[in-house]
Amino acid sequence: MKQLMLGNAAVARGLYEAGCCVISSYPGTPSTEITEEAAKFDDIYCEWAPNEKVAMEVAFGASLAGKRSFCAMKHVGLNVAADPLFTVAYTGVNAGMVIAVADDPGMHSSQNEQDSRHYAIAAKLPMLEPADSAEALAFTRRAYEISEEFDTPVILKMCTRVAHSQSIVETSPRTEGPERPYEKNIAKYVMMPGNAIRRHPVVEARMEKLQAYAETCPFNRTEMGGTELGIITSGTCYQYVKEVFGDSVSVLKLGMVHPLPTQLIRDFAAKVQRLGGVEELDGVIETHCKALG
């Protein structure tokens, strides 16, 4: 069924459809409505945690117990949750775990601007960034599959414009995730230094696999128009680019913003005379492209 839905409500719907069972979040605009909307589904246990660190640890605990889990916070809240964030990158997951962070470019309701892509890079975690409500739902569902396939939490990067704007989404029935009973594994889940040292190569190998996946990820797509100018963009900025240029330029629209593809960008650059990028806050895509020469 198709309906008009806010971006945050679309994420909540995606959680329901993906078989998420446990949500622990800390409120903060522009992320608050995700958990408020998800609480309307009887199949999902939802709670407000005392802070973002606790919220992430509860979600991680549910993942270890074999239940697909989720936590949400705004960008400044991810600072509070940074301690468990960097560690769960090493442990990996049992059932799928998704972390939503909502950035606030322009500081509509925040004390500062932060680009949460830097956390994905530093923690070595995959990050998806939807550009509208339909993608918010689709990316949320796919995030659980990526989480379980690559044994990693997945970060879903929202922002004010996407979270609080509406577009058409197509809903589907709920599907339960695969059975993943808890198995005691101290070497994997207890990050004492001796275990953490052995997990580090696992994290690096996982990033190589995710890098290869980024090249063919369906969320990264090329829209060829005029070849005089090609623009690489993501998230809300994709909407800005289409509003200004329409089909007069070619666009490489990135839905997976970490790790960024390499060959896909090279191939796109070869098809256009000039290459540019449009992104909010920091030049993450720009830096990546310059590193590629």
Side-chain angles (χ1 to χ4, degrees), residues 264-279:
L264 184 64
I265 290 176
R266 291 186 188 276
D267 292 344
F268 179 72
K271 297 175 183 177
V272 298
Q273 297 176 39
R274 292 186 299 139
L275 185 68
V278 179
E279 53 189 320

Side-chain angles (χ1 to χ4, degrees), residues 90 186-200:
Y90 271 55
I186 293 175
K188 184 177 190 294
Y189 295 124
V190 181
M191 286 302 96
M192 299 298 287
N195 292 336
I197 289 169
R198 287 186 286 270
R199 289 295 297 178
H200 190 190

Side-chain angles (χ1 to χ4, degrees), residues 94-113:
N94 183 17
M97 177 180 172
V98 176
I99 302 161
V101 56
D103 286 4
D104 190 18
M107 295 171 283
H108 303 279
S109 58
S110 305
Q111 63 269 44
N112 60 42
E113 286 183 321

Side-chain angles (χ1 to χ4, degrees), residues 12-285:
R13 179 71 196 190
L15 294 170
Y16 167 76
E17 293 182 9
C20 178
C21 296
V22 176
I23 296 176
S24 183
S25 302
Y26 187 79
T29 302
S31 73
T32 308
E33 298 90 352
I34 299 175
T35 304
E36 290 178 337
E37 291 294 321
K40 297 176 182 178
F41 296 107
D42 293 336
D43 301 88
I44 307 176
Y45 168 80
C46 294
E47 68 173 25
W48 291 124
N51 57 53
E52 294 87 352
K53 177 180 182 290
V54 174
M56 189 171 294
E57 290 170 340
V58 170
F60 179 55
S63 168
L64 292 189
K67 300 297 183 182
R68 286 184 169 181
S69 65
F70 175 83
C71 63
M73 60 205 70
K74 65 185 297 178
H75 61 289
V76 291
L78 195 56
N79 301 331
V80 181
D83 179 10
L85 177 75
F86 280 75
T87 302
V88 297
Y90 271 55
T91 65
V93 298
N94 183 17
M97 177 180 172
V98 176
I99 302 161
V101 56
D103 286 4
D104 190 18
M107 295 171 283
H108 303 279
S109 58
S110 305
Q111 63 269 44
N112 60 42
E113 286 183 321
Q114 292 175 206
D115 191 330
S116 294
R117 290 178 294 177
H118 293 297
Y119 269 110
I121 295 167
K124 301 183 184 295
L125 290 174
M127 174 178 274
L128 306 178
E129 183 178 14
D132 57 29
S133 298
E135 288 190 347
L137 194 159
F139 287 19
T140 302
R141 289 192 57 150
R142 178 61 182 145
Y144 283 100
E145 298 169 1
I146 294 173
S147 176
E148 291 166 355
E149 179 180 351
F150 293 95
D151 187 19
T152 177
V154 176
I155 303 176
L156 181 73
K157 179 180 179 291
M158 298 291 287
C159 70
T160 302
R161 294 300 188 193
V162 176
H164 292 162
S165 61
Q166 293 182 328
S167 63
I168 297 294
V169 304
E170 186 165 357
T171 59
S172 303
R174 179 178 172 89
T175 56
E176 299 298 335
E179 289 289 331
R180 291 176 175 267
Y182 168 73
E183 295 181 4
K184 186 176 181 179
N185 189 340
I186 293 175
K188 184 177 190 294
Y189 295 124
V190 181
M191 286 302 96
M192 299 298 287
N195 292 336
I197 289 169
R198 287 186 286 270
R199 289 295 297 178
H200 190 190
V202 175
V203 175
E204 297 297 342
R206 182 182 70 207
M207 286 305 301
E208 290 183 2
K209 294 177 182 176
L210 284 164
Q211 179 75 58
Y213 172 73
E215 302 291 348
T216 59
C217 175
F219 299 154
N220 298 332
R221 68 175 186 265
T222 300
E223 300 176 357
M224 293 305 297
T227 57
E228 183 178 337
L229 175 62
I231 296 177
I232 305 174
T233 188
S234 65
T236 312
C237 292
Y238 167 76
Q239 305 291 358
Y240 299 156
V241 168
K242 298 299 285 188
E243 181 179 358
V244 172
F245 294 102
D247 297 327
S248 66
V249 301
S250 296
V251 176
L252 175 55
K253 194 269 187 191
L254 299 174
M256 188 172 194
V257 293
H258 187 256
L260 289 167
T262 297
Q263 192 58 46
L264 184 64
I265 290 176
R266 291 186 188 276
D267 292 344
F268 179 72
K271 297 175 183 177
V272 298
Q273 297 176 39
R274 292 186 299 139
L275 185 68
V278 179
E279 53 189 320
E280 289 183 311
L281 302 185
D282 298 335
V284 173
I285 296 174

